[in-house]
Amino acid sequence: MSESKTKTPKNPFTSSSSSSSSSLLITKEKMANELPEYFKCPISLDIMSDPVILSSGHTFDRSSIQRWIDSGHRTCPITKLPLPDPPSLIPNHALRSLISNYTPTQLIPTRSDSDGSGSDSPSQLGCLISKLNSRGSMVEEKVESLVRLTGLSKANPGFRARLTESGAVSAVLRCVDSDNDPGLQEKALLLLLNLSLESDDNKVGLVAEGAVARVVSALGSTAAAVAATVLTSLAVVEVNKATIGAHPGAVRCLVHLLHTGRGRERKEAATALFTLSSFPENRRRTVDCGAVPILIRMAKSGLERAIEVLGLLAKCKEGREEIVKCDGVVEILVHYVKNGSLRGIQYGLMTLNLICCSSDRVKRQVKNQGVLEICFGLIQDDNEKIHRVASNLAKVLQEN
């Protein structure tokens, strides 16, 4: 009987450590063959544990691409395009989350954090994220988790970094989708805003995870002002300006909020449009959505940010054409040149300069308002930007 026991094959999952290691190796090899190709690092061909995006748009495992960079390479291994100095490695949280959901956790190595003590420990973080992910969690529990995560991330930049690396963003974005619960949606947007302020890499990473579509949908909710602020934060990065502007609803929804929103909502929508409109393609999109007459009415009612947006829209032909069509626009712009803040004066002069260059009729109106004399006075101003734009407008007004 004992001999029979001795010859019985051992269960590979309950055998000694050497057998376990062998089984795990076989399992890894099997997994590597079955997983989607984009789960594998193009350099090592292993399943990625910490995927990061290069400026070329390709994703690699952090350890592999770091070795490539450390060995002196300054080009993308795939495209051969030059990398910035220093190269930027943007965490690909969406792919990391996909891989972790698809594969057994023991096959995905994770970076250690702290000793697990304290209110912002990994165990605390895991508990709060679990509540967000659990279908069984009550709305009140999710709201409480979001509030606590927001508080912890405000107080601790390191915690913000751990939070984004933990794969929590996908859970937060699902809460942003909670149209039926405005409180949950707003708390999720506030946490998203907090995370976006961490770094430019975070901003790019959040957009890569699909934040734009969720935030744009929230522009029609009671949390519209916060949603517009999140878009402004994300759009600070140049590449995100293009991505957000290309989203079919982003500019249109912001212009709609500009038209129908209340005080803070309209101001935040104008700020988001101003940030987006520093990217040339977005100016025409904003004009096509009917923003110009709305902005002129807002400027007339005293919102100076509207003048700043008009100054950027006037840089495109379509914007100038729409601005000169509006009755009373010259008087409104001249009012800000005379009475506005430094930025109001600067953008008022800029807009006048651009529309004068495209219309002799407008140029005559501007001269009749005494703007040339105002420009002569502003040329002496200590502010370099105002000095320059006043000088340019004076030259235009003096041309025959």
Side-chain angles (χ1 to χ4, degrees), residues 31-33 35-42 45-48 59:
M31 291 291 296
N33 290 328
L35 288 174
E37 283 299 314
Y38 59 87
F39 281 15
K40 303 172 188 175
C41 174
L45 301 182
D46 291 332
I47 302 167
M48 288 185 279
T59 298

Side-chain angles (χ1 to χ4, degrees), residues 158-172:
F159 183 82
R160 288 199 295 270
R162 292 204 299 275
L163 184 55
T164 53
E165 290 174 4
S166 68
V169 172
S170 57
V172 177

Side-chain angles (χ1 to χ4, degrees), residues 130-142:
S130 294
K131 287 184 180 180
L132 295 181
N133 279 318
S134 174
R135 292 184 179 181
S137 295
M138 302 290 288
V139 171
E140 293 78 9
E141 291 179 301
K142 292 185 177 183

Side-chain angles (χ1 to χ4, degrees), residues 346-391:
Q346 176 191 341
Y347 281 93
L349 290 168
M350 180 193 300
T351 310
L352 286 171
N353 186 20
L354 291 165
I355 62 177
C356 282
C357 290
S358 65
S359 170
D360 288 336
R361 174 182 63 82
V362 170
K363 188 192 292 188
R364 288 193 296 272
Q365 284 183 300
V366 172
K367 289 180 76 171
N368 291 339
Q369 290 281 328
V371 173
L372 182 58
E373 291 74 16
I374 296 173
C375 286
F376 287 150
L378 291 173
I379 288 172
Q380 311 303 319
D381 198 281
D382 292 335
N383 186 291
E384 193 268 334
K385 291 179 179 178
I386 290 178
H387 165 84
R388 185 175 66 250
V389 74
S391 178

Side-chain angles (χ1 to χ4, degrees), residues 260-299:
T260 62
R262 292 168 299 211
R264 186 190 165 204
E265 293 170 343
R266 300 176 81 194
K267 186 174 181 180
E268 295 297 343
T271 301
L273 288 171
F274 175 78
T275 307
L276 288 168
S277 294
S278 63
F279 183 71
E281 285 297 312
N282 290 335
R283 295 167 192 158
R284 188 175 67 253
R285 292 177 178 130
T286 304
V287 173
D288 289 344
C289 288
V292 169
I294 300 170
L295 288 165
I296 290 173
R297 288 198 298 271
M298 290 173 66

